[in-house]
Amino acid sequence: MEILLAEDNPGDVKLTRKALAEGKLANNLHVVGDGVEAMAYLRGEGEYEGRPRPDLVLLDLNMPRKDGRAVLEEIKCDEDLKRIPVVVLTSSEAEEDVAKSYELHANAYLTKPIDFDGFLEIVGSLEEFWLEVVKLPPE
């Protein structure tokens, strides 16, 4: 399973890596630090040419250069990318962020817990659901 994590917080990247490493399945986690890099990765542009296409995108909303809302909208409006499941994984609990994310066709919205065990549990549940339960669309 190829997973793209679009996250600018190094601590959250580290926690996500650890949580996925403790999971049941082997995953390749690719990390980008902002929305511009996320779109370049998804489109295979520049340094990301030849990269593996992600099976799942974990997307933070609050990133520099291009925020997650803009990235989500671009993904879901792009014929080549729109079938890739996008899970918003963010610290925002704001109702308007939840509503806007689903309006932009996010596949799920998860709020990051502030404690380590909670974070491991959320990522573990996410991994189990998206990697074991759900049948993902072909590329």
Side-chain angles (χ1 to χ4, degrees), residues 15 113-123:
L15 284 175
I114 55 172
D115 64 283
F116 178 71
D117 289 335
F119 196 91
L120 288 179
E121 185 178 324
I122 269 261
V123 172

Side-chain angles (χ1 to χ4, degrees), residues 3 6 9 26 28 33 39 42 47 50 56-57 65 67 73 78 80 83 91 105 107 109 123 133 137:
I3 300 172
N9 182 319
N28 293 317
M39 292 312 302
L42 288 165
E47 67 181 281
L56 178 67
V57 175
R65 299 201 304 160
D67 74 6
E73 185 170 19
D78 186 308
D80 293 329
R83 285 180 292 167
S91 57
H105 306 289
N107 297 88
Y109 189 103
V123 172
V133 176

